[in-house]
Amino acid sequence: MATHNDTLDIAVLPGDGIGREVAAACIELLAATENVAEGPKLRLTTHNAGAQYYLESGDALPKSTIDACRSADAILFGAMGWPDVRLPDGTEIIPQLDLRMEFDLYAGIRPIRWFPGLPQILSDDRSRQTDLVLVREQTEGLFYARGTGTVIEDREALDTMRITREGTARVSEYAFRLAKRRKDRRGSARVTCVDKANVFSSMAFFRKVFDEVAASHTAVTSDHAYVDAMALTLVKAPWTVDVIVTENMFGDILSDLIAGLVGGMGMAPSADIGDNHALFQPAHGTAPDIAGQGKANPCAMFLSGAMMLDWLADKYEDQRLELRARLIERAIEAAFAAGNVPIELKGGSGCAEMTRATIAAMPEAIRAVA
Ligand code: ATP
C-alpha cells in the first residue's frame, strides 16, 4: 500500500479564462474542508501553463510544470486555451491533451448525477434518477490523428483512427472495476460498450476486445450500443444507463451531451486516470464568453476536487479523504437546497457566491456525512 506523510502535494494548473476563476475557488474550498474534517493536508502549488502563458513566454506547457505534475500526488487542472491564441501551425493551445499523453492518462471518467436543486431538463420525472458514468478512452481512437492528419493537394484530407488491443483492454478493465464498485450503492452493475461496430473494422475490434474483458467480469452485466442509438438513449432514458465505455472521439461528444442532462458544463466534473498519475478537471473549457465576469459555475471544478480526494483515498487507503469528498458533494447539495443557484442554471449566484455558500454549508454537511 502507498503511504503519505500527512501532507499531499497537489500541482494546480489554473490555465486560462474561467479555468483561473474556478481553480481559485476550488483552492479555497479544499482548504475549507480541512477546517471541518480530519485527514492529510493538501499542499496546493500553482504552476504556469496555457494560452496566456504561451503569449508571455512562448511555451504553453513548460518543462518545470510537467516535472511538478510528475512529482505531485495529483494534478488539479482548471481549463486551457483561447480562440485567438494559436500555435504557428494554426492549431489551438491544448496542453491538457499533451498531459494525457505525457502521463498516459488513458481513462477519462465523466460522472453525471442529478440531485435536488438541479434543473430537471427532461420532462420525465425518472430523469431525477440519472446516475451514470462515461468512461472515455483518451490516448488513441480518432484523436490519434492529432498532429498526424494529412491534406493531399488541397483536395482531400485524411485522419486515422487507431484502436489497439492494449488501449481497449485497459480502459474496459477500468470500466468494469468502476461498475463493480458502484454496485454496492446501486444494487446492480452494467457496462455498455458504445461503438460503431456495424460499420468500422476498428470499432468491431474495439467491441471484440471489450467482450474478452467482459468475460472475466461475470459479476457485472455487459452489453453493447451503437453510438447513435446511445445518443438517443441518453436523451430519452439516461436513468437506464450505468457505466459506458467508448472510443476517444465518441466520448468527447457524448460527454458534452450528458453534461446537458444536469444543466450544463458547469455541473460536469472529470478525471483523467492513468496507472501512475491522475488529473482532475471540470469537463468544460475556458468559456471566453463569460470569462472575467464572475459568472462561472464552480461546481464542476468542486466535484472534480471531490473525485481527486476519492482517488487519493483509494491510493493511500485513507478513508478520511473519502469523507472529505462526500463532504464536498453534500455541501454543494446543501448550497443548492438553500437557494443558491448558479447563473448558468438561470439562478443568481456567481462564482464567488457559490463558493461562499458551499463553504458555509460545510459545518452542517460534515455532520450529515460523518
Ligand atoms: P472547449 O472548446 O475547450 O470545450 P469552450 O469555451 O468553447 O471550450 P466550454 O467552456 O466547454 O466551451 O463551454 C461552452 C459554453 O458553456 C461556454 O461558452 C459557456 O457559456 C458555458 N459554460 C461552460 N462552462 C461553464 C461554467 N463553469 N459556468 C458557466 N457557464 C459555463
Side-chain angles (χ1 to χ4, degrees):
M1 182 191 81
T3 53
H4 62 70
N5 60 4
D6 255 26
T7 302
L8 294 169
D9 270 312
I10 311 298
V12 185
L13 279 56
D16 303 301
I18 65 166
R20 293 184 177 195
E21 299 164 38
V22 296
C26 194
I27 289 173
E28 216 181 311
L29 180 94
L30 289 168
T33 63
E34 293 175 16
N35 296 333
V36 294
E38 291 177 3
K41 299 259 170 256
L42 300 183
R43 187 164 40 222
L44 298 140
T45 314
T46 299
H47 301 279
N48 289 319
Q52 185 60 42
Y53 188 69
Y54 175 76
L55 285 181
E56 292 161 16
S57 69
D59 192 352
L61 184 61
K63 184 175 176 305
S64 56
T65 295
I66 296 176
D67 289 344
C69 290
R70 182 172 289 109
S71 58
D73 289 290
I75 307 160
L76 195 57
F77 189 100
M80 290 186 195
W82 204 253
D84 303 339
V85 183
R86 303 268 168 167
L87 295 169
D89 69 357
T91 58
E92 267 192 60
I93 309 273
I94 319 175
Q96 51 274 42
L97 297 188
D98 300 316
L99 287 167
R100 272 178 206 162
M101 300 312 277
E102 178 75 31
F103 296 122
D104 202 17
L105 307 175
Y106 59 85
I109 313 302
R110 281 94 195 283
I112 288 294
R113 186 172 65 86
W114 189 88
F115 60 81
L118 286 179
Q120 186 179 323
I121 303 296
L122 304 179
S123 57
D124 192 316
D125 284 343
R126 285 175 293 179
S127 65
R128 293 168 176 239
Q129 295 156 25
T130 299
D131 176 3
L132 62 89
V133 185
L134 183 151
V135 179
R136 167 186 174 189
E137 199 297 320
Q138 327 198 105
T139 55
E140 48 186 46
L142 191 52
F143 276 63
Y144 168 74
R146 181 179 178 232
T148 65
T150 49
V151 179
I152 303 165
E153 294 167 1
D154 207 25
R155 194 170 28 81
E156 64 180 82
L158 298 171
D159 284 318
T160 304
M161 157 116 71
R162 178 174 193 246
I163 301 292
T164 67
R165 169 172 292 282
E166 187 202 353
T168 307
R170 65 183 182 174
V171 78
S172 301
E173 211 26 82
Y174 190 96
F176 278 100
R177 275 188 274 121
L178 177 69
K180 217 174 275 170
R181 292 174 55 158
R182 282 163 54 86
K183 194 173 182 179
D184 290 343
R185 186 161 50 83
R186 296 169 54 90
S188 64
R190 180 159 44 92
V191 181
T192 305
C193 174
V194 174
D195 56 47
K196 196 71 185 166
N198 52 338
V199 177
F200 301 109
S201 52
S202 57
M203 292 280 85
F205 183 64
F206 187 90
R207 181 180 286 209
K208 174 174 175 277
V209 177
F210 168 86
D211 284 344
E212 288 169 12
V213 174
S216 59
H217 291 276
T218 47
V220 178
T221 307
S222 69
D223 60 4
H224 315 105
Y226 297 132
V227 64
D228 43 340
M230 179 52 77
L232 183 67
T233 299
L234 287 170
V235 171
K236 286 194 78 174
W239 57 90
T240 63
V241 179
D242 184 356
V243 174
I244 62 187
V245 62
T246 191
E247 176 277 324
N248 210 340
M249 181 70 162
F250 292 165
D252 185 37
I253 297 167
L254 292 181
S255 52
D256 273 32
L257 188 158
I258 58 175
L261 298 173
V262 285
M265 299 305 292
M267 294 309 306
S270 81
D272 297 344
I273 310 276
D275 288 333
N276 301 309
H277 299 273
L279 179 153
F280 302 84
Q281 62 170 324
H284 60 75
T286 54
D289 55 334
I290 56 161
Q293 301 168 39
K295 291 181 181 169
N297 175 5
C299 292
M301 182 86 233
F302 293 169
L303 292 167
S304 304
M307 291 177 81
M308 178 180 81
L309 293 171
D310 267 331
W311 184 79
L312 290 167
D314 236 28
K315 179 172 175 184
Y316 293 115
E317 292 184 22
D318 187 335
Q319 289 186 340
R320 298 171 301 174
L321 289 161
E322 197 183 324
L323 183 76
R324 267 152 65 185
R326 301 291 78 73
L327 166 69
I328 290 175
E329 290 169 357
R330 184 71 181 217
I332 293 172
E333 290 174 19
F336 274 79
N340 302 280
V341 179
I343 293 169
E344 182 190 29
L345 306 183
K346 311 271 181 288
S349 300
C351 188
E353 290 79 16
M354 281 313 295
T355 308
R356 264 199 300 275
T358 308
I359 291 173
M362 282 187 179
E364 209 178 310
I366 191 69
R367 284 194 286 277
V369 297

